[in-house]
Amino acid sequence: MWRFYNFIICSFFNTLQYFFALRFNPDVVIHFAFPNDVADNMYMERITVADGDGLPYGLKPVQKIKSFFRWNSLFYVFLQQRFQEFQKNMTMSGTSEGDPPDAFIENNFAAIYKPVYTASDSLAWNVEFKYLHAMNMLLRSKGIAFVVVSIPPGNLVSTDEWKTGAPYWFSTIHAPLDTTKMDRLLENFCVAEDIPFYPLMTPFRNYKKAEPGKKLFFDFDGHWTATGHDVAADSLYAFIQADPRVRDRLLGGADRRSVVLRLIP
């Protein structure tokens, strides 16, 4: 029997993910990484209260009324999305090709796919890696398996995916885009940290080649359709079965009771 704890929070960022890793003791933690994690880290790092080792133990009070309602009211998020849906030709404001990398990334997560932005010159990525490393060390000390799974934006999987919502973010990012950049950065980090890493870009693109008429992502908000969930679940399960670092924790026996903590952006 498997028990899943599935945490879904607007503007989920690595600081909160670290807090959850501290509170629970599952057999496996699966971290789903989306590029807005990197962008959200920039703002959240400024309100994070850290200890002497630079690890978080609290957050400063949120000063913005808009941020408070966004994080605490699903009704507010619903109204915000419905309002945006009826806006025509909306684009992300406050971003510029001339901005420094982190300023651009903080305002628009799509900027991380610009080839000229590297992990070495980006505080945003350094913060991402800092928290992933801290979670890895914490979980390893408890004997808990850790898996990182990357989620690609739908429009980078196929040009017919996320057609309505993607232009809001990507219209201000001049081509060409390095569509596998996030996967390579995360994979290099995970190899160095001995963390199992699985990019969902590969099974999504393979499925679109086989079934080009079926949608994996909703056109407006970019989340997965039922088909997208099936493809992700089936391919991730196959990956877990093939990796002994995770398989032995989850599939150790028919009577084994496994607790899975799923952290998603």
Side-chain angles (χ1 to χ4, degrees), residues 128-172:
E128 174 85 3
F129 294 147
K130 178 182 77 171
Y131 283 116
L132 289 179
H133 171 74
M135 284 190 282
N136 187 35
M137 293 297 98
L138 173 67
L139 297 172
R140 184 171 295 177
S141 70
K142 296 182 177 183
I144 299 171
F146 188 32
V147 182
V148 173
V149 179
S150 67
I151 302 176
N155 61 312
L156 301 189
V157 172
S158 175
T159 56
D160 70 335
E161 294 283 4
W162 198 24
K163 295 178 67 174
T164 304
Y168 177 79
W169 302 100
F170 284 86
S171 61
T172 58

Side-chain angles (χ1 to χ4, degrees), residues 3 5 7 20-21 24 26 28-31 259-263:
R3 179 187 302 162
Y5 292 97
F7 296 97
F20 280 128
F24 293 86
V28 178
V29 169
I30 302 177
H31 168 70
V259 178
V260 181
L261 180 62
R262 181 176 178 230
L263 300 175

Side-chain angles (χ1 to χ4, degrees), residues 1-4 237 240 250-251 256-260:
M1 180 183 74
W2 293 3
R3 179 187 302 162
F4 284 85
Y237 182 72
I240 288 174
L250 288 180
L251 308 175
R256 178 173 178 80
R257 296 192 174 192
S258 295
V259 178
V260 181

Side-chain angles (χ1 to χ4, degrees), residues 123-220:
L123 174 62
W125 275 107
N126 291 333
V127 173
E128 174 85 3
F129 294 147
K130 178 182 77 171
Y131 283 116
L132 289 179
H133 171 74
M135 284 190 282
N136 187 35
M137 293 297 98
L138 173 67
L139 297 172
R140 184 171 295 177
S141 70
K142 296 182 177 183
I144 299 171
F146 188 32
V147 182
V148 173
V149 179
S150 67
I151 302 176
N155 61 312
L156 301 189
V157 172
S158 175
T159 56
D160 70 335
E161 294 283 4
W162 198 24
K163 295 178 67 174
T164 304
Y168 177 79
W169 302 100
F170 284 86
S171 61
T172 58
I173 311 298
H174 296 169
L177 297 177
D178 186 348
T179 60
T180 61
K181 180 180 179 182
M182 178 175 174
D183 289 348
R184 295 197 312 275
L185 291 174
L186 286 173
E187 182 176 23
N188 291 340
F189 173 83
C190 288
V191 168
E193 294 264 332
D194 193 28
I195 301 171
F197 172 72
Y198 186 63
L200 285 172
M201 178 76 84
T202 300
F204 281 162
R205 283 183 169 176
N206 290 340
Y207 184 87
K208 290 296 290 187
K209 290 179 182 178
E211 300 285 350
K214 293 187 177 180
K215 291 286 190 179
L216 298 174
F217 300 81
F218 289 110
D219 275 340
F220 174 65

